[in-house]
Amino acid sequence: MCFPRIIPVSAGHGEMPTQKGSGCLVMLDTFVTFLGKVLGEDVESLWGAGVVDISIPDRPKLKFMDKVPSVPKVRREFKNLRDIRGPSTEATEFTQGQYGILALGGGYLHWGHFEMMRLTINRHLDPKIMFAVWRIPAPYKPITRKSLGQRMGGGKGAIDHYVTAVKCGRLILEVGGHCEFGEVEHFLTQVAKKLPFPAKAVSCQSLKEMRQAEEERRHKNQNPWTFERIITSNMLGIRKVLSPYDLTQKGRYWGKFFLKDRV
Amino acid sequence: MAAAALCCRGLCRTGWLPTLQIVRHAKSVTRHWKAMHFERQKLMAVTEYIAPKPEKCIAPRSKAVTEENGYAKLLRWQVTETFRDSKMIAVCQHNFTPSEEMLLMKHRLRKHNIHVKFFPNEIVRPYLSVSKYKNLLPLFVGCSLMLVSPEIKVKEMLRILKNVPQINLLGACIDNTILSNQGVINYSKLPAMAITQGQVVGTLSLMASQTCGLLQHSSAHLAALLDQYIKQQSGGAGETDGKAGEGQAELGPAKSSAGL
C-alpha cells in the first residue's frame, strides 16, 4: 500500500492550482476533489480508506465563533421553543469529516459552549494530519433577560445574549483527516459530556450502525401495539391527551428529550 | 382572562360550534422532564419494545441420545429372570407403607416363598411390550410392586395382603393366564388340584358305576320280594290264602319283569 501523499488544497475548490507541483499530480488532486463534490459524499467511504488522499484544508482548526452576530438583532424574538423540539432536518449526515459529535437531545448552545469546544478541539488537533469544521451556525437567536429584582410586567426584557438552537440528531462538528476513530474519540467524548444536551462522539461507520440497529429493532419488535399505530387510528380517543406533533414524533421525543429506548 | 371570556361565550350557546378553541396551555418544551398525562403513560407502557425470544424456546431441543446405564442393563436382566422363573406374578399398587409393616409383610410372604420386587417402570414397560406379557402393560402405571413366586399360593397371599391396607392388588399372571382382581379371588376359592381331579374322575366313572347298579337292580328286587314272601308264608300260616294270592299277584309281575 502506497503512503498517502498529503497535498494542501486551497479553499477555492473549482480553481486549478497552477503554481504547485507537476501538472499531472495537480490534475489528479483536482479530479478527486471534483468527483467528491459531484458525488456529494465522502469519497473515501466510497473508494475505501487509504486509496484516496484526504485533503486537509488551509485552516484545519475550528474557526472562532462570534458572541454576537455582526448585524445584531433589533427586533426581540419570541421564545419559539419548537426550534428545540423533535428531530433535526439539517446537518444530519457527514459532509467533510469522518468523525463528529452527534446531539442526542435538543438544547441551546451559547458562546461559552462554543469557546469550550473550540479550545478543546484545537488543543487536541494535530493540524498536519487532522482538521475540524463546525456544523452549526454562530449564535443568532437573541435571548432576553430582565435585570435582577424586576417585577413582572413592564414589557419584554433587553437582549442579553445569543444562542444557537440544536435539535436532536444534528451533528455539531466534524473532524477528519488521516486518523483513526480511536485517536479522536477521546477528546470528542470529553467535549460531548460538557454540552448542555446528551451528545456522543460518532464516526461515519458507527452512525450508520446506530441507524441500522434502530431500524432492526423496529422490525424485530414483537409488540403488536405500536405508538404509531395507536395514534394514527386514534384508538381509545388517545389523541385527546396527545399532541399533533406526536403523529410525526411517534413517542420517541418528549419535549426536548429523545427517548432512545422507544421503538 | 381574555381566553376565559372567549371560552364562556363559546360554551353557553346551544348549537355551538367549536370555532373558539382554548389557546393558552402549559409549555410543551421544558428544561425539566414534564410529567406525562396518565393515559399517555399507559400508552407508553403498552407500546414498549418487546424483544424476540431466542429460537430455542420455540423449537424443542432434540435430546442427545444417552448411552444406557450399566445399572439399567442389570435391572433389565433381573426383570427377565424374574419373569422367566416365576409361575405366579401379582402386580399391586404400592402406597406408602410404614417400614415396619412393610418388613412384616415381606417376612410373611417370604415364609410362603413369595418375593417382593420393585422395578422402575421405565425398565419394565419396554420389556413387557416386547415379551408375551403385553396385556400387563396397563398395570405398570404409577408406583407398583410385583409379588413373584415359583409356587402358586394365592389364598395365603391374599390373606396377607388383606392385612396391609396400603397395598392393592391390581392383577396377576398365574400360570400364563392373566387374571384381574376378581379373577384372583375366584381362583383362590377353587379347591385344590387333587380334590378337583378326584371330582373329575368321579364324574366320569359315575355312568359306569350306575350301569352296574342298574343291571343288578331287578334281580335284587326279585330276591327281596321272594324273601318277603317266604317270611309271610312262614310267619302267617292262617292267612296264607289272602297272602298267597297277594304273593302270587306279586310274583306274577316280578316273574314277568324277570322274564323281560
Side-chain angles (χ1 to χ4, degrees), chain B residues 3-255:
Chain B
L6 284 167
C7 294
C8 280
R9 207 199 314 151
L11 284 165
C12 292
R13 302 281 175 272
T14 50
W16 155 74
L17 287 165
T19 47
L20 301 164
Q21 288 173 8
I22 302 165
V23 175
R24 302 204 78 182
H25 58 85
K27 290 196 173 24
S28 41
V29 182
T30 50
R31 283 173 221 210
H32 63 275
W33 177 272
K34 191 166 151 202
M36 287 187 188
H37 193 277
F38 187 59
E39 292 283 323
R40 198 200 161 104
Q41 281 181 41
K42 286 200 270 190
L43 176 65
M44 301 292 262
V46 164
T47 54
E48 268 170 6
Y49 173 72
I50 295 178
K53 280 192 191 162
E55 271 182 24
K56 63 183 179 184
C57 289
I58 301 161
R61 233 187 300 174
S62 59
K63 281 190 186 167
V65 178
T66 47
E67 235 189 54
E68 212 191 31
N69 231 349
Y71 182 55
K73 277 191 215 156
L74 172 75
L75 282 173
R76 205 179 315 114
W77 177 78
Q78 279 185 344
V79 167
T80 38
E81 227 190 22
T82 324
F83 272 95
R84 200 170 5 122
D85 295 342
S86 55
K87 280 165 102 180
M88 175 180 85
I89 307 158
V91 183
C92 312
Q93 186 203 18
H94 164 64
N95 300 316
F96 170 72
T97 332
S99 45
E100 307 95 47
E101 278 194 37
M102 193 70 177
L103 200 62
L104 281 169
M105 189 196 82
K106 279 192 183 172
H107 172 66
R108 282 187 208 127
L109 287 168
R110 243 354 227 302
K111 279 202 275 199
H112 300 291
N113 199 15
I114 302 174
H115 304 271
V116 180
K117 298 271 186 195
F118 285 98
F119 288 117
N121 278 349
E122 300 97 48
I123 310 276
V124 169
R125 287 184 75 93
Y127 171 75
L128 286 181
S129 51
V130 170
S131 71
K132 59 180 176 174
Y133 300 101
K134 278 199 195 61
N135 292 321
L136 281 176
L137 268 174
L139 293 177
F140 285 92
V141 170
C143 209
S144 60
L145 63 88
M146 289 168 31
L147 305 172
V148 299
S149 156
E151 304 141 26
I152 301 170
K153 288 190 175 166
V154 186
K155 222 183 261 181
E156 289 86 3
M157 185 184 78
L158 281 176
R159 204 184 308 128
I160 293 163
L161 286 178
K162 216 178 354 172
N163 283 336
V164 186
Q166 289 99 348
I167 300 198
N168 312 311
L169 183 68
L170 298 173
C173 177
I174 300 172
D175 258 352
N176 293 332
T177 16
I178 293 175
L179 301 163
S180 69
N181 204 1
Q182 201 55 46
V184 170
I185 293 167
N186 291 343
Y187 183 89
S188 62
K189 288 196 185 126
L190 289 172
M193 195 60 130
I195 302 162
T196 357
Q197 278 170 352
Q199 275 183 352
V200 167
V201 167
T203 330
L204 288 170
S205 56
L206 185 67
M207 301 311 290
S209 53
Q210 268 190 353
T211 328
C212 185
L214 273 170
L215 288 169
Q216 286 176 354
H217 167 76
S218 50
S219 46
H221 188 59
L222 176 64
L225 284 168
L226 286 170
D227 279 334
Q228 209 181 8
Y229 177 66
I230 289 162
K231 264 190 235 160
Q232 281 165 7
Q233 286 283 343
S234 58
E239 296 169 24
T240 47
D241 293 348
K243 294 283 178 196
E246 279 175 5
Q248 270 177 6
E250 278 180 20
L251 272 169
K255 262 193 188 163

Side-chain angles (χ1 to χ4, degrees), chain A residues 143-212:
Chain A
I143 302 286
T144 58
R145 286 268 184 274
K146 278 182 116 53
S147 42
L148 182 68
Q150 286 272 340
R151 287 185 185 227
M152 291 285 109
K156 195 163 163 80
I159 294 175
D160 185 48
H161 59 275
Y162 290 78
V163 291
T164 327
V166 172
K167 282 195 184 185
C168 169
R170 189 187 179 137
L171 287 168
I172 311 293
L173 45 82
E174 278 180 39
V175 175
H178 303 276
C179 50
E180 294 293 314
F181 186 48
E183 304 165 37
V184 169
E185 195 186 356
H186 177 69
F187 59 85
L188 283 182
T189 40
Q190 248 186 331
V191 166
K193 279 193 215 169
K194 289 194 195 170
L195 294 173
F197 40 79
K200 124 185 220 176
V202 291
S203 68
C204 228
Q205 190 64 35
S206 77
L207 184 64
K208 220 188 316 178
E209 275 165 24
M210 206 155 58
R211 291 201 178 134
Q212 267 171 3

Side-chain angles (χ1 to χ4, degrees), chain A residues 34-248:
Chain A
F34 172 69
L35 263 184
K37 283 224 78 89
V38 160
L39 293 167
E41 55 186 88
D42 195 13
V43 191
E44 188 203 287
S45 61
L46 191 67
W47 285 15
V51 178
V52 171
D53 292 334
I54 305 158
S55 50
I56 312 284
D58 248 357
R59 300 199 191 170
K61 299 210 172 180
L62 286 171
K63 74 170 193 231
F64 174 78
M65 293 291 215
D66 286 320
K67 214 170 179 178
V68 172
S70 39
V71 182
K73 299 248 168 81
V74 178
R75 179 91 169 71
R76 284 167 291 189
E77 281 178 8
F78 293 130
K79 213 181 293 265
N80 202 19
L81 285 170
R82 34 174 210 276
D83 53 8
I84 306 294
R85 193 179 195 182
S88 173
T89 45
E90 52 171 352
T92 46
E93 302 291 340
F94 282 93
T95 49
Q96 294 175 57
Q98 299 131 45
Y99 320 108
I101 299 177
L102 182 80
L104 293 171
Y108 289 126
L109 290 172
H110 56 66
W111 187 72
H113 296 123
F114 278 94
E115 281 300 284
M116 176 272 293
M117 281 198 277
R118 189 178 66 86
L119 291 171
T120 319
I121 303 284
N122 288 347
R123 200 180 329 126
H124 287 99
L125 268 184
D126 186 353
K128 290 195 277 290
I129 49 168
M130 297 195 257
F131 68 93
V133 291
W134 291 109
R135 289 305 301 278
I136 41 174
Y140 59 88
K141 179 173 174 173
I143 302 286
T144 58
R145 286 268 184 274
K146 278 182 116 53
S147 42
L148 182 68
Q150 286 272 340
R151 287 185 185 227
M152 291 285 109
K156 195 163 163 80
I159 294 175
D160 185 48
H161 59 275
Y162 290 78
V163 291
T164 327
V166 172
K167 282 195 184 185
C168 169
R170 189 187 179 137
L171 287 168
I172 311 293
L173 45 82
E174 278 180 39
V175 175
H178 303 276
C179 50
E180 294 293 314
F181 186 48
E183 304 165 37
V184 169
E185 195 186 356
H186 177 69
F187 59 85
L188 283 182
T189 40
Q190 248 186 331
V191 166
K193 279 193 215 169
K194 289 194 195 170
L195 294 173
F197 40 79
K200 124 185 220 176
V202 291
S203 68
C204 228
Q205 190 64 35
S206 77
L207 184 64
K208 220 188 316 178
E209 275 165 24
M210 206 155 58
R211 291 201 178 134
Q212 267 171 3
E214 247 176 76
E215 192 67 27
E216 214 186 293
R217 230 170 104 96
R218 209 162 57 79
H219 283 297
K220 283 202 301 192
N221 186 17
Q222 299 296 306
N223 197 348
W225 305 109
T226 52
F227 192 96
E228 194 181 344
R229 179 181 165 196
I230 292 174
I231 196 179
T232 46
S233 49
N234 191 17
M235 294 186 183
L236 298 172
I238 196 88
R239 281 188 66 181
K240 185 178 176 205
V241 298
L242 299 176
S243 152
Y245 287 97
D246 286 315
L247 278 166
T248 42

